[in-house]
Amino acid sequence: MPKTKPFKADPAIIAAMADYFKVLSEGSRLQILICLKLGSMNVMEIAEATGLGQANLSKHLKVLTQAGILSRQPKGTSAYYEIADPIIFELCELACDRISQRVLQQAENMKAFWDKNTDF
């Protein structure tokens, strides 16, 4: 097999990817995304659905909006948030599937260990 030249990624792209994953590394932000999967909501509706305090929620909404994951639409005296980048759910589904596979494998390994090392 011929040797290929090692791929060298653009540092700016790597930094942008790292920032994107940092946005998704916060559990409260994932809660917000799951909440908004059903459709747009205002801050009060999101707060009620997630149990997050308004100040904390506003901070997370700002981060998600700045990352381009959410969009904010003013309507009357409220602002409604919605998913701007629906591919986010495919990414989350891939991660959840991989985590599920790992948990199942760990359970199988633990059962095999238990069966091998116990005489009950």
Side-chain angles (χ1 to χ4, degrees), residues 20-60:
Y20 191 79
F21 283 111
K22 282 181 199 172
V23 169
L24 298 176
S25 71
E26 170 61 48
S28 296
R29 293 184 198 133
L30 294 174
Q31 272 187 291
I32 293 166
L33 294 178
I34 291 166
C35 183
L36 291 174
K37 191 172 185 179
L38 299 175
S40 67
M41 297 176 131
N42 67 29
V43 175
M44 294 304 291
E45 292 168 329
I46 299 169
E48 186 177 313
T50 61
L52 296 170
Q54 192 159 345
N56 192 22
L57 177 58
S58 292
K59 176 186 75 169
H60 292 305

PDB file of all heavy atoms in Angstrom, residues 20-60:
ATOM      1  N   TYR A  20     -16.812  24.579  18.994  1.00  0.00           N
ATOM      2  CA  TYR A  20     -18.144  24.024  18.763  1.00  0.00           C
ATOM      3  C   TYR A  20     -18.440  22.919  19.776  1.00  0.00           C
ATOM      4  O   TYR A  20     -19.504  22.877  20.386  1.00  0.00           O
ATOM      5  CB  TYR A  20     -18.234  23.493  17.333  1.00  0.00           C
ATOM      6  CG  TYR A  20     -19.615  23.123  16.877  1.00  0.00           C
ATOM      7  CD1 TYR A  20     -20.519  24.099  16.476  1.00  0.00           C
ATOM      8  CD2 TYR A  20     -20.022  21.794  16.821  1.00  0.00           C
ATOM      9  CE1 TYR A  20     -21.790  23.760  16.029  1.00  0.00           C
ATOM     10  CE2 TYR A  20     -21.288  21.455  16.376  1.00  0.00           C
ATOM     11  CZ  TYR A  20     -22.167  22.438  15.984  1.00  0.00           C
ATOM     12  OH  TYR A  20     -23.427  22.097  15.546  1.00  0.00           O
ATOM     13  N   PHE A  21     -17.468  22.025  19.985  1.00  0.00           N
ATOM     14  CA  PHE A  21     -17.665  20.948  20.944  1.00  0.00           C
ATOM     15  C   PHE A  21     -17.711  21.471  22.378  1.00  0.00           C
ATOM     16  O   PHE A  21     -18.409  20.896  23.220  1.00  0.00           O
ATOM     17  CB  PHE A  21     -16.616  19.857  20.775  1.00  0.00           C
ATOM     18  CG  PHE A  21     -16.894  18.962  19.600  1.00  0.00           C
ATOM     19  CD1 PHE A  21     -16.083  19.000  18.479  1.00  0.00           C
ATOM     20  CD2 PHE A  21     -17.982  18.101  19.596  1.00  0.00           C
ATOM     21  CE1 PHE A  21     -16.351  18.189  17.381  1.00  0.00           C
ATOM     22  CE2 PHE A  21     -18.261  17.288  18.506  1.00  0.00           C
ATOM     23  CZ  PHE A  21     -17.437  17.327  17.391  1.00  0.00           C
ATOM     24  N   LYS A  22     -17.008  22.557  22.670  1.00  0.00           N
ATOM     25  CA  LYS A  22     -17.104  23.166  23.999  1.00  0.00           C
ATOM     26  C   LYS A  22     -18.520  23.636  24.271  1.00  0.00           C
ATOM     27  O   LYS A  22     -19.026  23.493  25.377  1.00  0.00           O
ATOM     28  CB  LYS A  22     -16.142  24.355  24.125  1.00  0.00           C
ATOM     29  CG  LYS A  22     -14.714  23.973  24.362  1.00  0.00           C
ATOM     30  CD  LYS A  22     -13.862  25.227  24.484  1.00  0.00           C
ATOM     31  CE  LYS A  22     -12.411  24.932  24.266  1.00  0.00           C
ATOM     32  NZ  LYS A  22     -11.592  26.142  24.198  1.00  0.00           N
ATOM     33  N   VAL A  23     -19.156  24.202  23.257  1.00  0.00           N
ATOM     34  CA  VAL A  23     -20.543  24.658  23.408  1.00  0.00           C
ATOM     35  C   VAL A  23     -21.435  23.475  23.787  1.00  0.00           C
ATOM     36  O   VAL A  23     -22.309  23.589  24.638  1.00  0.00           O
ATOM     37  CB  VAL A  23     -21.049  25.326  22.103  1.00  0.00           C
ATOM     38  CG1 VAL A  23     -22.548  25.557  22.131  1.00  0.00           C
ATOM     39  CG2 VAL A  23     -20.319  26.641  21.866  1.00  0.00           C
ATOM     40  N   LEU A  24     -21.194  22.335  23.189  1.00  0.00           N
ATOM     41  CA  LEU A  24     -22.020  21.154  23.431  1.00  0.00           C
ATOM     42  C   LEU A  24     -21.609  20.370  24.680  1.00  0.00           C
ATOM     43  O   LEU A  24     -22.287  19.413  25.043  1.00  0.00           O
ATOM     44  CB  LEU A  24     -21.967  20.230  22.216  1.00  0.00           C
ATOM     45  CG  LEU A  24     -22.498  20.831  20.926  1.00  0.00           C
ATOM     46  CD1 LEU A  24     -22.308  19.852  19.780  1.00  0.00           C
ATOM     47  CD2 LEU A  24     -23.943  21.239  21.066  1.00  0.00           C
ATOM     48  N   SER A  25     -20.536  20.777  25.335  1.00  0.00           N
ATOM     49  CA  SER A  25     -20.046  20.024  26.485  1.00  0.00           C
ATOM     50  C   SER A  25     -20.765  20.368  27.783  1.00  0.00           C
ATOM     51  O   SER A  25     -20.492  19.768  28.816  1.00  0.00           O
ATOM     52  CB  SER A  25     -18.540  20.249  26.661  1.00  0.00           C
ATOM     53  OG  SER A  25     -18.288  21.568  27.115  1.00  0.00           O
ATOM     54  N   GLU A  26     -21.693  21.270  27.741  1.00  0.00           N
ATOM     55  CA  GLU A  26     -22.439  21.702  28.932  1.00  0.00           C
ATOM     56  C   GLU A  26     -23.813  21.023  28.946  1.00  0.00           C
ATOM     57  O   GLU A  26     -24.600  21.165  28.003  1.00  0.00           O
ATOM     58  CB  GLU A  26     -22.580  23.232  28.899  1.00  0.00           C
ATOM     59  CG  GLU A  26     -23.511  23.822  29.901  1.00  0.00           C
ATOM     60  CD  GLU A  26     -23.106  23.548  31.337  1.00  0.00           C
ATOM     61  OE1 GLU A  26     -21.923  23.757  31.664  1.00  0.00           O
ATOM     62  OE2 GLU A  26     -23.966  23.118  32.113  1.00  0.00           O
ATOM     63  N   GLY A  27     -24.094  20.296  30.017  1.00  0.00           N
ATOM     64  CA  GLY A  27     -25.347  19.557  30.135  1.00  0.00           C
ATOM     65  C   GLY A  27     -26.587  20.433  30.018  1.00  0.00           C
ATOM     66  O   GLY A  27     -27.588  20.038  29.407  1.00  0.00           O
ATOM     67  N   SER A  28     -26.536  21.616  30.590  1.00  0.00           N
ATOM     68  CA  SER A  28     -27.699  22.516  30.509  1.00  0.00           C
ATOM     69  C   SER A  28     -28.001  22.907  29.068  1.00  0.00           C
ATOM     70  O   SER A  28     -29.165  23.030  28.673  1.00  0.00           O
ATOM     71  CB  SER A  28     -27.450  23.780  31.342  1.00  0.00           C
ATOM     72  OG  SER A  28     -27.324  23.456  32.700  1.00  0.00           O
ATOM     73  N   ARG A  29     -26.971  23.073  28.278  1.00  0.00           N
ATOM     74  CA  ARG A  29     -27.180  23.431  26.868  1.00  0.00           C
ATOM     75  C   ARG A  29     -27.808  22.273  26.107  1.00  0.00           C
ATOM     76  O   ARG A  29     -28.660  22.473  25.246  1.00  0.00           O
ATOM     77  CB  ARG A  29     -25.865  23.874  26.226  1.00  0.00           C
ATOM     78  CG  ARG A  29     -25.371  25.167  26.816  1.00  0.00           C
ATOM     79  CD  ARG A  29     -24.125  25.674  26.121  1.00  0.00           C
ATOM     80  NE  ARG A  29     -23.501  26.651  26.998  1.00  0.00           N
ATOM     81  CZ  ARG A  29     -22.226  26.684  27.303  1.00  0.00           C
ATOM     82  NH1 ARG A  29     -21.382  25.834  26.757  1.00  0.00           N
ATOM     83  NH2 ARG A  29     -21.759  27.593  28.126  1.00  0.00           N
ATOM     84  N   LEU A  30     -27.406  21.063  26.440  1.00  0.00           N
ATOM     85  CA  LEU A  30     -28.021  19.899  25.800  1.00  0.00           C
ATOM     86  C   LEU A  30     -29.486  19.789  26.208  1.00  0.00           C
ATOM     87  O   LEU A  30     -30.339  19.443  25.376  1.00  0.00           O
ATOM     88  CB  LEU A  30     -27.245  18.629  26.155  1.00  0.00           C
ATOM     89  CG  LEU A  30     -25.825  18.565  25.601  1.00  0.00           C
ATOM     90  CD1 LEU A  30     -25.099  17.336  26.127  1.00  0.00           C
ATOM     91  CD2 LEU A  30     -25.818  18.589  24.087  1.00  0.00           C
ATOM     92  N   GLN A  31     -29.799  20.105  27.455  1.00  0.00           N
ATOM     93  CA  GLN A  31     -31.198  20.129  27.902  1.00  0.00           C
ATOM     94  C   GLN A  31     -32.008  21.112  27.064  1.00  0.00           C
ATOM     95  O   GLN A  31     -33.133  20.814  26.664  1.00  0.00           O
ATOM     96  CB  GLN A  31     -31.293  20.599  29.359  1.00  0.00           C
ATOM     97  CG  GLN A  31     -31.176  19.547  30.394  1.00  0.00           C
ATOM     98  CD  GLN A  31     -31.457  20.156  31.760  1.00  0.00           C
ATOM     99  OE1 GLN A  31     -30.672  20.958  32.256  1.00  0.00           O
ATOM    100  NE2 GLN A  31     -32.559  19.795  32.345  1.00  0.00           N
ATOM    101  N   ILE A  32     -31.457  22.269  26.820  1.00  0.00           N
ATOM    102  CA  ILE A  32     -32.134  23.299  26.022  1.00  0.00           C
ATOM    103  C   ILE A  32     -32.374  22.785  24.613  1.00  0.00           C
ATOM    104  O   ILE A  32     -33.474  22.942  24.063  1.00  0.00           O
ATOM    105  CB  ILE A  32     -31.312  24.604  26.016  1.00  0.00           C
ATOM    106  CG1 ILE A  32     -31.283  25.219  27.411  1.00  0.00           C
ATOM    107  CG2 ILE A  32     -31.865  25.587  25.000  1.00  0.00           C
ATOM    108  CD1 ILE A  32     -30.240  26.309  27.605  1.00  0.00           C
ATOM    109  N   LEU A  33     -31.375  22.156  24.016  1.00  0.00           N
ATOM    110  CA  LEU A  33     -31.526  21.631  22.659  1.00  0.00           C
ATOM    111  C   LEU A  33     -32.627  20.581  22.590  1.00  0.00           C
ATOM    112  O   LEU A  33     -33.456  20.594  21.670  1.00  0.00           O
ATOM    113  CB  LEU A  33     -30.206  21.047  22.153  1.00  0.00           C
ATOM    114  CG  LEU A  33     -29.066  22.028  21.950  1.00  0.00           C
ATOM    115  CD1 LEU A  33     -27.816  21.297  21.488  1.00  0.00           C
ATOM    116  CD2 LEU A  33     -29.457  23.119  20.973  1.00  0.00           C
ATOM    117  N   ILE A  34     -32.647  19.688  23.554  1.00  0.00           N
ATOM    118  CA  ILE A  34     -33.672  18.648  23.584  1.00  0.00           C
ATOM    119  C   ILE A  34     -35.054  19.283  23.708  1.00  0.00           C
ATOM    120  O   ILE A  34     -35.999  18.889  23.030  1.00  0.00           O
ATOM    121  CB  ILE A  34     -33.405  17.652  24.727  1.00  0.00           C
ATOM    122  CG1 ILE A  34     -32.149  16.828  24.409  1.00  0.00           C
ATOM    123  CG2 ILE A  34     -34.605  16.741  24.961  1.00  0.00           C
ATOM    124  CD1 ILE A  34     -31.582  16.061  25.580  1.00  0.00           C
ATOM    125  N   CYS A  35     -35.146  20.296  24.544  1.00  0.00           N
ATOM    126  CA  CYS A  35     -36.393  21.019  24.744  1.00  0.00           C
ATOM    127  C   CYS A  35     -36.873  21.665  23.439  1.00  0.00           C
ATOM    128  O   CYS A  35     -38.055  21.607  23.097  1.00  0.00           O
ATOM    129  CB  CYS A  35     -36.147  22.073  25.819  1.00  0.00           C
ATOM    130  SG  CYS A  35     -37.556  23.029  26.288  1.00  0.00           S
ATOM    131  N   LEU A  36     -35.962  22.244  22.691  1.00  0.00           N
ATOM    132  CA  LEU A  36     -36.315  22.965  21.469  1.00  0.00           C
ATOM    133  C   LEU A  36     -36.486  22.045  20.261  1.00  0.00           C
ATOM    134  O   LEU A  36     -36.863  22.506  19.182  1.00  0.00           O
ATOM    135  CB  LEU A  36     -35.272  24.039  21.166  1.00  0.00           C
ATOM    136  CG  LEU A  36     -35.260  25.201  22.151  1.00  0.00           C
ATOM    137  CD1 LEU A  36     -34.101  26.135  21.868  1.00  0.00           C
ATOM    138  CD2 LEU A  36     -36.585  25.954  22.111  1.00  0.00           C
ATOM    139  N   LYS A  37     -36.233  20.768  20.442  1.00  0.00           N
ATOM    140  CA  LYS A  37     -36.409  19.821  19.339  1.00  0.00           C
ATOM    141  C   LYS A  37     -37.868  19.802  18.877  1.00  0.00           C
ATOM    142  O   LYS A  37     -38.150  19.578  17.707  1.00  0.00           O
ATOM    143  CB  LYS A  37     -35.957  18.426  19.767  1.00  0.00           C
ATOM    144  CG  LYS A  37     -35.864  17.452  18.631  1.00  0.00           C
ATOM    145  CD  LYS A  37     -35.240  16.153  19.063  1.00  0.00           C
ATOM    146  CE  LYS A  37     -35.046  15.255  17.857  1.00  0.00           C
ATOM    147  NZ  LYS A  37     -34.414  13.996  18.210  1.00  0.00           N
ATOM    148  N   LEU A  38     -38.790  20.081  19.788  1.00  0.00           N
ATOM    149  CA  LEU A  38     -40.214  20.068  19.459  1.00  0.00           C
ATOM    150  C   LEU A  38     -40.681  21.345  18.771  1.00  0.00           C
ATOM    151  O   LEU A  38     -41.775  21.393  18.237  1.00  0.00           O
ATOM    152  CB  LEU A  38     -41.038  19.842  20.729  1.00  0.00           C
ATOM    153  CG  LEU A  38     -40.772  18.521  21.450  1.00  0.00           C
ATOM    154  CD1 LEU A  38     -41.538  18.452  22.755  1.00  0.00           C
ATOM    155  CD2 LEU A  38     -41.142  17.348  20.553  1.00  0.00           C
ATOM    156  N   GLY A  39     -39.882  22.399  18.827  1.00  0.00           N
ATOM    157  CA  GLY A  39     -40.258  23.651  18.191  1.00  0.00           C
ATOM    158  C   GLY A  39     -39.799  24.848  18.995  1.00  0.00           C
ATOM    159  O   GLY A  39     -39.218  24.715  20.071  1.00  0.00           O
ATOM    160  N   SER A  40     -40.075  26.032  18.465  1.00  0.00           N
ATOM    161  CA  SER A  40     -39.597  27.256  19.113  1.00  0.00           C
ATOM    162  C   SER A  40     -40.308  27.503  20.438  1.00  0.00           C
ATOM    163  O   SER A  40     -41.457  27.111  20.621  1.00  0.00           O
ATOM    164  CB  SER A  40     -39.763  28.451  18.175  1.00  0.00           C
ATOM    165  OG  SER A  40     -41.130  28.724  17.970  1.00  0.00           O
ATOM    166  N   MET A  41     -39.592  28.150  21.345  1.00  0.00           N
ATOM    167  CA  MET A  41     -40.117  28.470  22.674  1.00  0.00           C
ATOM    168  C   MET A  41     -39.530  29.797  23.126  1.00  0.00           C
ATOM    169  O   MET A  41     -38.428  30.152  22.718  1.00  0.00           O
ATOM    170  CB  MET A  41     -39.728  27.401  23.699  1.00  0.00           C
ATOM    171  CG  MET A  41     -40.262  26.036  23.449  1.00  0.00           C
ATOM    172  SD  MET A  41     -39.604  24.903  24.707  1.00  0.00           S
ATOM    173  CE  MET A  41     -41.093  24.108  25.219  1.00  0.00           C
ATOM    174  N   ASN A  42     -40.248  30.462  24.026  1.00  0.00           N
ATOM    175  CA  ASN A  42     -39.686  31.666  24.623  1.00  0.00           C
ATOM    176  C   ASN A  42     -38.922  31.289  25.890  1.00  0.00           C
ATOM    177  O   ASN A  42     -38.941  30.134  26.325  1.00  0.00           O
ATOM    178  CB  ASN A  42     -40.759  32.732  24.871  1.00  0.00           C
ATOM    179  CG  ASN A  42     -41.768  32.327  25.926  1.00  0.00           C
ATOM    180  OD1 ASN A  42     -41.480  31.568  26.843  1.00  0.00           O
ATOM    181  ND2 ASN A  42     -42.979  32.837  25.797  1.00  0.00           N
ATOM    182  N   VAL A  43     -38.268  32.253  26.484  1.00  0.00           N
ATOM    183  CA  VAL A  43     -37.399  31.995  27.639  1.00  0.00           C
ATOM    184  C   VAL A  43     -38.186  31.384  28.795  1.00  0.00           C
ATOM    185  O   VAL A  43     -37.714  30.437  29.435  1.00  0.00           O
ATOM    186  CB  VAL A  43     -36.684  33.292  28.086  1.00  0.00           C
ATOM    187  CG1 VAL A  43     -35.888  33.061  29.354  1.00  0.00           C
ATOM    188  CG2 VAL A  43     -35.760  33.788  26.982  1.00  0.00           C
ATOM    189  N   MET A  44     -39.373  31.897  29.054  1.00  0.00           N
ATOM    190  CA  MET A  44     -40.166  31.378  30.166  1.00  0.00           C
ATOM    191  C   MET A  44     -40.547  29.909  29.938  1.00  0.00           C
ATOM    192  O   MET A  44     -40.497  29.102  30.868  1.00  0.00           O
ATOM    193  CB  MET A  44     -41.425  32.229  30.367  1.00  0.00           C
ATOM    194  CG  MET A  44     -41.127  33.656  30.810  1.00  0.00           C
ATOM    195  SD  MET A  44     -40.127  33.759  32.322  1.00  0.00           S
ATOM    196  CE  MET A  44     -41.283  33.152  33.516  1.00  0.00           C
ATOM    197  N   GLU A  45     -40.900  29.564  28.716  1.00  0.00           N
ATOM    198  CA  GLU A  45     -41.257  28.177  28.402  1.00  0.00           C
ATOM    199  C   GLU A  45     -40.048  27.260  28.546  1.00  0.00           C
ATOM    200  O   GLU A  45     -40.169  26.146  29.072  1.00  0.00           O
ATOM    201  CB  GLU A  45     -41.822  28.092  26.982  1.00  0.00           C
ATOM    202  CG  GLU A  45     -43.164  28.774  26.820  1.00  0.00           C
ATOM    203  CD  GLU A  45     -43.589  28.949  25.365  1.00  0.00           C
ATOM    204  OE1 GLU A  45     -42.709  29.099  24.483  1.00  0.00           O
ATOM    205  OE2 GLU A  45     -44.808  28.942  25.122  1.00  0.00           O
ATOM    206  N   ILE A  46     -38.899  27.726  28.087  1.00  0.00           N
ATOM    207  CA  ILE A  46     -37.674  26.920  28.209  1.00  0.00           C
ATOM    208  C   ILE A  46     -37.312  26.757  29.675  1.00  0.00           C
ATOM    209  O   ILE A  46     -36.934  25.668  30.119  1.00  0.00           O
ATOM    210  CB  ILE A  46     -36.511  27.548  27.413  1.00  0.00           C
ATOM    211  CG1 ILE A  46     -36.854  27.614  25.923  1.00  0.00           C
ATOM    212  CG2 ILE A  46     -35.221  26.745  27.620  1.00  0.00           C
ATOM    213  CD1 ILE A  46     -35.890  28.462  25.102  1.00  0.00           C
ATOM    214  N   ALA A  47     -37.416  27.831  30.442  1.00  0.00           N
ATOM    215  CA  ALA A  47     -37.097  27.771  31.878  1.00  0.00           C
ATOM    216  C   ALA A  47     -38.003  26.761  32.578  1.00  0.00           C
ATOM    217  O   ALA A  47     -37.539  25.965  33.403  1.00  0.00           O
ATOM    218  CB  ALA A  47     -37.249  29.153  32.508  1.00  0.00           C
ATOM    219  N   GLU A  48     -39.281  26.788  32.254  1.00  0.00           N
ATOM    220  CA  GLU A  48     -40.226  25.858  32.874  1.00  0.00           C
ATOM    221  C   GLU A  48     -39.909  24.416  32.485  1.00  0.00           C
ATOM    222  O   GLU A  48     -39.941  23.514  33.313  1.00  0.00           O
ATOM    223  CB  GLU A  48     -41.651  26.210  32.449  1.00  0.00           C
ATOM    224  CG  GLU A  48     -42.711  25.396  33.161  1.00  0.00           C
ATOM    225  CD  GLU A  48     -44.110  25.829  32.768  1.00  0.00           C
ATOM    226  OE1 GLU A  48     -44.388  27.042  32.748  1.00  0.00           O
ATOM    227  OE2 GLU A  48     -44.930  24.936  32.484  1.00  0.00           O
ATOM    228  N   ALA A  49     -39.590  24.201  31.223  1.00  0.00           N
ATOM    229  CA  ALA A  49     -39.314  22.852  30.733  1.00  0.00           C
ATOM    230  C   ALA A  49     -38.000  22.283  31.267  1.00  0.00           C
ATOM    231  O   ALA A  49     -37.886  21.079  31.485  1.00  0.00           O
ATOM    232  CB  ALA A  49     -39.300  22.838  29.206  1.00  0.00           C
ATOM    233  N   THR A  50     -37.003  23.147  31.463  1.00  0.00           N
ATOM    234  CA  THR A  50     -35.678  22.661  31.873  1.00  0.00           C
ATOM    235  C   THR A  50     -35.411  22.793  33.368  1.00  0.00           C
ATOM    236  O   THR A  50     -34.518  22.136  33.891  1.00  0.00           O
ATOM    237  CB  THR A  50     -34.561  23.436  31.140  1.00  0.00           C
ATOM    238  OG1 THR A  50     -34.662  24.822  31.480  1.00  0.00           O
ATOM    239  CG2 THR A  50     -34.652  23.239  29.632  1.00  0.00           C
ATOM    240  N   GLY A  51     -36.138  23.691  34.028  1.00  0.00           N
ATOM    241  CA  GLY A  51     -35.875  23.936  35.444  1.00  0.00           C
ATOM    242  C   GLY A  51     -34.690  24.853  35.686  1.00  0.00           C
ATOM    243  O   GLY A  51     -34.267  25.042  36.819  1.00  0.00           O
ATOM    244  N   LEU A  52     -34.147  25.433  34.629  1.00  0.00           N
ATOM    245  CA  LEU A  52     -33.010  26.343  34.768  1.00  0.00           C
ATOM    246  C   LEU A  52     -33.491  27.728  35.186  1.00  0.00           C
ATOM    247  O   LEU A  52     -34.549  28.177  34.745  1.00  0.00           O
ATOM    248  CB  LEU A  52     -32.247  26.451  33.443  1.00  0.00           C
ATOM    249  CG  LEU A  52     -31.585  25.171  32.935  1.00  0.00           C
ATOM    250  CD1 LEU A  52     -31.080  25.367  31.512  1.00  0.00           C
ATOM    251  CD2 LEU A  52     -30.452  24.757  33.846  1.00  0.00           C
ATOM    252  N   GLY A  53     -32.711  28.404  36.009  1.00  0.00           N
ATOM    253  CA  GLY A  53     -33.008  29.779  36.385  1.00  0.00           C
ATOM    254  C   GLY A  53     -32.839  30.699  35.194  1.00  0.00           C
ATOM    255  O   GLY A  53     -32.067  30.411  34.269  1.00  0.00           O
ATOM    256  N   GLN A  54     -33.546  31.821  35.227  1.00  0.00           N
ATOM    257  CA  GLN A  54     -33.551  32.699  34.061  1.00  0.00           C
ATOM    258  C   GLN A  54     -32.175  33.261  33.726  1.00  0.00           C
ATOM    259  O   GLN A  54     -31.797  33.321  32.557  1.00  0.00           O
ATOM    260  CB  GLN A  54     -34.557  33.832  34.251  1.00  0.00           C
ATOM    261  CG  GLN A  54     -34.794  34.577  32.952  1.00  0.00           C
ATOM    262  CD  GLN A  54     -36.100  35.332  32.941  1.00  0.00           C
ATOM    263  OE1 GLN A  54     -36.960  35.118  33.764  1.00  0.00           O
ATOM    264  NE2 GLN A  54     -36.238  36.229  31.983  1.00  0.00           N
ATOM    265  N   ALA A  55     -31.393  33.659  34.721  1.00  0.00           N
ATOM    266  CA  ALA A  55     -30.060  34.217  34.446  1.00  0.00           C
ATOM    267  C   ALA A  55     -29.148  33.157  33.816  1.00  0.00           C
ATOM    268  O   ALA A  55     -28.462  33.419  32.822  1.00  0.00           O
ATOM    269  CB  ALA A  55     -29.432  34.765  35.715  1.00  0.00           C
ATOM    270  N   ASN A  56     -29.167  31.957  34.389  1.00  0.00           N
ATOM    271  CA  ASN A  56     -28.362  30.855  33.870  1.00  0.00           C
ATOM    272  C   ASN A  56     -28.824  30.478  32.462  1.00  0.00           C
ATOM    273  O   ASN A  56     -28.005  30.281  31.557  1.00  0.00           O
ATOM    274  CB  ASN A  56     -28.483  29.665  34.824  1.00  0.00           C
ATOM    275  CG  ASN A  56     -27.479  28.574  34.552  1.00  0.00           C
ATOM    276  OD1 ASN A  56     -26.444  28.788  33.944  1.00  0.00           O
ATOM    277  ND2 ASN A  56     -27.797  27.380  35.003  1.00  0.00           N
ATOM    278  N   LEU A  57     -30.126  30.414  32.278  1.00  0.00           N
ATOM    279  CA  LEU A  57     -30.690  30.070  30.980  1.00  0.00           C
ATOM    280  C   LEU A  57     -30.298  31.097  29.920  1.00  0.00           C
ATOM    281  O   LEU A  57     -29.888  30.734  28.815  1.00  0.00           O
ATOM    282  CB  LEU A  57     -32.211  29.969  31.090  1.00  0.00           C
ATOM    283  CG  LEU A  57     -32.977  29.696  29.806  1.00  0.00           C
ATOM    284  CD1 LEU A  57     -32.513  28.405  29.151  1.00  0.00           C
ATOM    285  CD2 LEU A  57     -34.466  29.655  30.100  1.00  0.00           C
ATOM    286  N   SER A  58     -30.397  32.360  30.262  1.00  0.00           N
ATOM    287  CA  SER A  58     -30.043  33.424  29.313  1.00  0.00           C
ATOM    288  C   SER A  58     -28.593  33.313  28.862  1.00  0.00           C
ATOM    289  O   SER A  58     -28.280  33.501  27.682  1.00  0.00           O
ATOM    290  CB  SER A  58     -30.300  34.798  29.928  1.00  0.00           C
ATOM    291  OG  SER A  58     -31.683  34.987  30.099  1.00  0.00           O
ATOM    292  N   LYS A  59     -27.716  32.984  29.807  1.00  0.00           N
ATOM    293  CA  LYS A  59     -26.296  32.809  29.479  1.00  0.00           C
ATOM    294  C   LYS A  59     -26.115  31.680  28.464  1.00  0.00           C
ATOM    295  O   LYS A  59     -25.413  31.835  27.460  1.00  0.00           O
ATOM    296  CB  LYS A  59     -25.502  32.515  30.758  1.00  0.00           C
ATOM    297  CG  LYS A  59     -24.032  32.226  30.537  1.00  0.00           C
ATOM    298  CD  LYS A  59     -23.337  31.794  31.811  1.00  0.00           C
ATOM    299  CE  LYS A  59     -23.721  30.365  32.124  1.00  0.00           C
ATOM    300  NZ  LYS A  59     -22.959  29.726  33.174  1.00  0.00           N
ATOM    301  N   HIS A  60     -26.781  30.556  28.690  1.00  0.00           N
ATOM    302  CA  HIS A  60     -26.649  29.409  27.786  1.00  0.00           C
ATOM    303  C   HIS A  60     -27.291  29.686  26.428  1.00  0.00           C
ATOM    304  O   HIS A  60     -26.754  29.276  25.396  1.00  0.00           O
ATOM    305  CB  HIS A  60     -27.251  28.159  28.418  1.00  0.00           C
ATOM    306  CG  HIS A  60     -26.482  27.662  29.598  1.00  0.00           C
ATOM    307  ND1 HIS A  60     -25.131  27.374  29.548  1.00  0.00           N
ATOM    308  CD2 HIS A  60     -26.865  27.412  30.874  1.00  0.00           C
ATOM    309  CE1 HIS A  60     -24.719  26.958  30.730  1.00  0.00           C
ATOM    310  NE2 HIS A  60     -25.762  26.980  31.559  1.00  0.00           N
TER     311      HIS A  60
END
